Amino acid sequence: KYLHKLYNEQTHRNFNHNIQSVRILTDLFPNNVSLQVLDGVAGHNGEEPEEELVPAIRTDYNKFIEEIEECYTDPENKKARRFRASTLEGLVVRYADVIAYIISDRLDYMKIKGPQMFVTANRKVNSAAMSRYEVDIIENR
């Protein structure tokens, strides 16, 4: 949120880490990266988990770049958070990002010395939690 505020004040554009990551790969350090990889990068936003993810239909690079631009200029800044990848691999990355957010939140909670009865966060417990999340996703998605 802080990076968005700073970036928006200077450019009047939205800052979202997933969309900015595409910009890094296309503009700042351009490499011969496929549409599918860029699409997966844009879709790796676990801040807004969804009950069900269905791959988007996306095959044209220029239209993809137009979608990315819309994410920068969306007045409500929702398009970037709801961007869905067009490949199953990209959707897996989104779920991995959701798990990373959950684990990170657990660790942050412990850093602020939250009540121990609610969360125990250490490597062993977090590893077990990640395993449970992964199995749940595989079995129920």
Side-chain angles (χ1 to χ4, degrees):
K1 289 179 182 179
Y2 184 69
L3 287 174
H4 173 76
K5 180 181 180 296
L6 291 175
Y7 189 70
N8 189 266
E9 286 172 358
Q10 297 294 316
T11 66
H12 305 290
R13 294 164 64 86
N14 300 319
F15 180 93
N16 293 284
H17 76 280
N18 55 325
I19 304 303
Q20 193 67 16
S21 297
V22 172
R23 180 175 167 259
I24 289 168
L25 293 172
T26 58
D27 297 349
L28 300 179
F29 300 102
N31 290 300
N32 190 16
V33 179
S34 71
L35 169 61
Q36 292 78 15
V37 169
L38 293 173
D39 175 80
V41 168
H44 89 277
N45 187 6
E47 292 180 62
E48 281 194 31
E50 298 180 28
E51 289 293 319
E52 181 177 67
L53 287 176
V54 178
I57 297 172
R58 190 175 293 113
T59 57
D60 183 273
Y61 181 83
N62 292 326
K63 288 183 181 176
F64 167 77
I65 295 300
E66 288 174 14
E67 278 187 79
I68 295 301
E69 183 60 28
E70 289 173 9
C71 292
Y72 279 115
T73 58
D74 173 23
E76 295 181 16
N77 195 26
K78 291 182 179 179
K79 289 185 180 193
R81 293 191 305 262
R82 294 182 178 157
F83 191 97
R84 278 185 296 122
S86 64
T87 65
L88 293 176
E89 294 87 350
L91 296 180
V92 168
V93 171
R94 184 178 182 117
Y95 277 114
D97 207 42
V98 170
I99 292 170
Y101 270 99
I102 292 168
I103 297 300
S104 178
D105 288 348
R106 290 167 54 90
L107 293 172
D108 289 346
Y109 183 79
M110 291 305 293
K111 285 179 189 173
I112 63 168
K113 309 254 188 271
Q116 296 295 317
M117 65 183 161
F118 295 117
V119 174
T120 301
N122 61 45
R123 285 184 184 189
K124 186 175 181 180
V125 171
N126 280 339
S127 178
M130 285 184 351
S131 293
R132 284 192 303 272
Y133 300 143
E134 292 163 1
V135 168
D136 181 58
I137 289 168
I138 292 166
E139 291 179 348
N140 297 297
R141 302 290 184 216

